[in-house]
Amino acid sequence: GQQVMQIPQYQHVQEGEDFTTYCNSSTTLSNIQWYKQRPGGHPVFLIQLVKSGEVKKQKRLTFQFGEAKKNSSLHITATQTTDVGTYFCAGRGGSNYKLTFGKGTLLTVNP
Amino acid sequence: NAGVTQTPKFQVLKTGQSMTLQCAQDMNHNSMYWYRQDPGMGLRLIYYSASEGTTDKGEVPNGYNVSRLNKREFSLRLESAAPSQTSVYFCASRREAQPQHFGDGTRLSIL
């Protein structure tokens, strides 16, 4: 079945440093979504990428979808303590109804 | 607008007991999902319902049953709880081609 690998599993940074998490799928994706989960909370949708090579920005967050639609990345510039949480990618492949989630990257930020 | 409501928020069971986790959404979404989240494992799909009247197995369905009672409600049943089912359970829903909205989760411990 479809697998989505996400690295790193953990990342600890000093406030102000940059952060990147990477996502790789075993199969071509129709789209990829990114979610953020604060400690003790539930996943909250951030963004969806659909087109090959697509780049989207949300303030300090930059999302990319690879040309082959099998990988994606999330980059945060100048992290803040409010960025703390687990970031998940989730890919949609052959099924229109199912998402396959990566295992997530836990980001901690030292003030 | 409550979104996705899960009950209960916390539950402790003894091995062999049965229990039903409840989920209701008020956004008129067609598709509903049940996930479990374990440390380091990300979100794993247990069952989903693409539309009212249909249910399908996800990645980890063994030991669980589901019922799509109506368009709003999607319940998850553990017939004979086992310690391996200790987890945080999330319900989610979505409209066609839209991202998933998650409930606050049910934290379930089985002794």
Side-chain angles (χ1 to χ4, degrees):
Chain A
Q2 180 179 304
Q3 294 185 352
V4 175
M5 309 298 292
Q6 191 172 352
I7 58 170
Q9 190 173 1
Y10 307 99
Q11 185 78 57
H12 178 73
V13 300
Q14 291 293 125
E15 189 171 22
E17 292 183 337
D18 293 355
F19 159 77
T20 305
T21 174
Y22 300 90
C23 195
N24 285 285
S25 171
S26 57
T27 59
T28 301
L29 301 170
S30 58
N31 64 61
I32 194 158
Q33 299 175 6
W34 286 90
Y35 292 78
K36 177 183 178 181
Q37 184 178 24
R38 295 183 186 276
H42 60 271
V44 175
F45 173 76
L46 293 176
I47 207 159
Q48 176 173 279
L49 305 172
V50 178
K51 299 177 182 177
S52 169
E54 189 169 13
V55 178
K56 287 188 176 181
K57 292 189 176 184
Q58 290 180 348
K59 297 183 180 178
R60 295 178 294 104
L61 278 61
T62 301
F63 304 83
Q64 294 188 330
F65 200 11
E67 294 289 341
K69 300 184 73 174
K70 294 181 73 174
N71 60 347
S72 182
S73 65
L74 158 59
H75 179 82
I76 302 178
T77 304
T79 54
Q80 300 174 358
T81 54
T82 53
D83 295 326
V84 164
T86 301
Y87 293 85
F88 292 98
C89 61
R92 191 177 308 281
S95 168
N96 189 39
Y97 300 103
K98 291 193 294 184
L99 280 177
T100 300
F101 280 80
K103 293 184 179 181
T105 297
L106 173 60
L107 171 66
T108 56
V109 179
N110 197 30
Chain B
N1 192 344
V4 179
T5 303
Q6 290 184 237
T7 56
K9 294 190 183 306
F10 304 92
Q11 186 70 49
V12 178
L13 294 177
K14 294 181 179 179
T15 297
Q17 286 185 316
S18 62
M19 155 149 214
T20 300
L21 307 186
Q22 307 287 353
C23 175
Q25 52 91 8
D26 61 3
M27 295 174 284
N28 201 35
H29 288 172
N30 286 326
S31 301
M32 297 186 73
Y33 305 82
W34 276 105
Y35 294 91
R36 60 177 290 173
Q37 185 174 33
D38 303 293
M41 297 297 292
L43 289 154
R44 293 184 292 171
L45 182 64
I46 304 171
Y47 271 93
Y48 68 101
S49 171
S51 60
E52 186 179 356
T54 68
T55 61
D56 284 286
K57 294 179 180 179
E59 181 184 354
V60 289
N62 291 344
Y64 304 96
N65 285 301
V66 291
S67 295
R68 183 75 182 264
L69 304 170
N70 47 55
K71 191 170 186 178
R72 291 187 62 248
E73 298 171 288
F74 188 38
S75 63
L76 178 71
R77 183 159 178 85
L78 287 70
E79 289 291 350
S80 180
S84 61
Q85 295 177 304
T86 293
S87 189
V88 180
Y89 291 86
F90 286 102
C91 177
S93 70
R94 76 169 188 126
R95 193 188 308 272
E96 183 76 24
Q98 296 298 310
Q100 295 187 5
H101 296 257
F102 286 83
D104 288 339
T106 295
R107 284 147 182 82
L108 182 62
S109 293
I110 299 160
L111 306 177

